[in-house]
């Protein structure tokens, strides 16, 4: 009977239902954790390709965990690759804009403050905060996605807000 469970994920309808159920949440998770520059859509696709390649070895109950872990590892590998690329890049692109130099400077300073403040958050706080504030997910939805209690989500988000208020006085 256990053998049948492992084989069931190879059925196209079951695989499709797993993809439809988890692909959007996986994309959002990767987007909030790593940003758009590392192509989270591609990593979601690659993770599901790996799931398909290993469908005989993975039970349907473990599929979500498998694709989230695989996609996260793919993003970490891409991050490491991008660091190498940036290290060896010598030509910097020039930007032109109609904004005044003072405005650009203030905007850059604010963005730097914001990025540093977000970087100072723990990963757990940052993920919960972005899912709530950017995507508009409710605490209960976030708790289900992250497999934690609603109180833990509240604590993470309120902790993140508290840290951000201290780090950025303008918010």
């Amino acid at each position: 009977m256990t053998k049948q469970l492992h084989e069931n994920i190879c059925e196209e309808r079951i695989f499709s239902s797993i993809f439809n159920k988890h692909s959007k949440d996986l994309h959002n998770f990767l987007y909030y954790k790593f940003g758009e520059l590392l192509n989270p859509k591609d990593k979601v696709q690659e993770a599901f390709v790996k799931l398909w390649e290993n469908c005989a070895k993975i039970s349907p109950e473990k599929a979500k965990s498998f694709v989230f872990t695989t996609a996260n590892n793919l993003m970490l590998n891409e991050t490491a690759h991008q660091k190498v690329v940036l290290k060896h890049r010598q030509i910097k692109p020039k930007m032109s804009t109609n904004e005044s130099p003072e405005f650009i400077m203030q905007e850059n300073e604010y963005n730097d403050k914001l990025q540093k403040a977000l970087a100072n958050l723990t990963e757990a706080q940052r993920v919960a905060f972005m899912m709530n504030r950017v995507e508009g997910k409710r605490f209960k939805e976030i708790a289900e996605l992250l497999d934690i209690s609603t109180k833990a989500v509240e604590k993470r988000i309120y902790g993140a807000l508290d840290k951000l208020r201290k780090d950025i006085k303008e918010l």
Side-chain angles (χ1 to χ4, degrees):
M1 183 113 182
T2 309
K3 185 92 171 144
Q4 288 177 333
L5 283 177
H6 291 291
E7 293 172 352
N8 283 343
I9 202 168
C10 293
E11 292 179 25
E12 189 175 340
R13 66 175 180 78
I14 293 176
F15 183 83
S16 293
S17 73
I18 291 170
F19 178 82
N20 292 334
K21 184 175 182 183
H22 299 297
S23 62
K24 185 172 191 249
D25 290 335
L26 178 57
H27 172 267
N28 292 338
F29 173 74
L30 295 175
Y31 177 80
Y32 294 133
K33 188 171 180 185
F34 297 101
E36 184 65 34
L37 295 176
L38 299 178
N39 299 321
K41 288 180 183 176
D42 291 346
K43 301 306 180 267
V44 169
Q45 293 296 324
E46 288 179 46
F48 277 99
V49 167
K50 289 190 184 290
L51 176 64
W52 182 254
E53 291 170 350
N54 295 295
C55 67
K57 301 174 190 172
I58 300 163
S59 67
E61 296 82 27
K62 303 285 184 186
K64 177 182 176 184
S65 175
F66 179 84
V67 293
F68 271 74
T69 302
T70 302
N72 190 53
N73 290 340
L74 288 168
M75 288 298 268
L76 292 172
N77 292 344
E78 183 68 20
T79 301
H81 174 71
Q82 290 302 322
K83 285 180 182 178
V84 171
V85 169
L86 287 173
K87 184 176 180 183
H88 294 290
R89 182 179 287 165
Q90 295 176 357
I91 301 171
K92 294 184 179 180
K94 293 185 177 182
M95 292 177 25
S96 63
T97 179
N98 293 334
E99 306 293 343
S100 71
E102 294 85 17
F103 177 80
I104 294 171
M105 185 178 76
Q106 288 173 345
E107 184 179 36
N108 289 339
E109 286 174 2
Y110 180 79
N111 283 333
D112 288 343
K113 270 186 175 182
L114 178 61
Q115 292 304 316
K116 286 178 185 174
L118 288 172
N120 286 337
L121 297 175
T122 65
E123 182 179 328
Q125 286 177 327
R126 185 173 46 256
V127 169
F129 177 78
M130 297 295 277
M131 289 175 97
N132 177 254
R133 297 301 168 129
V134 177
E135 191 177 328
K137 289 195 180 290
R138 296 174 186 249
F139 290 179
K140 185 177 179 183
E141 292 173 294
I142 296 168
E144 290 172 3
L145 287 171
L146 300 178
D147 291 329
I148 57 175
S149 69
T150 306
K151 283 290 184 190
V153 172
E154 289 176 16
K155 185 175 180 181
R156 289 178 183 185
I157 292 173
Y158 293 139
L161 286 170
D162 203 31
K163 271 188 177 178
L164 288 173
R165 282 189 192 107
K166 288 176 185 169
D167 290 349
I168 303 175
K169 304 293 186 228
E170 293 85 27
L171 285 182

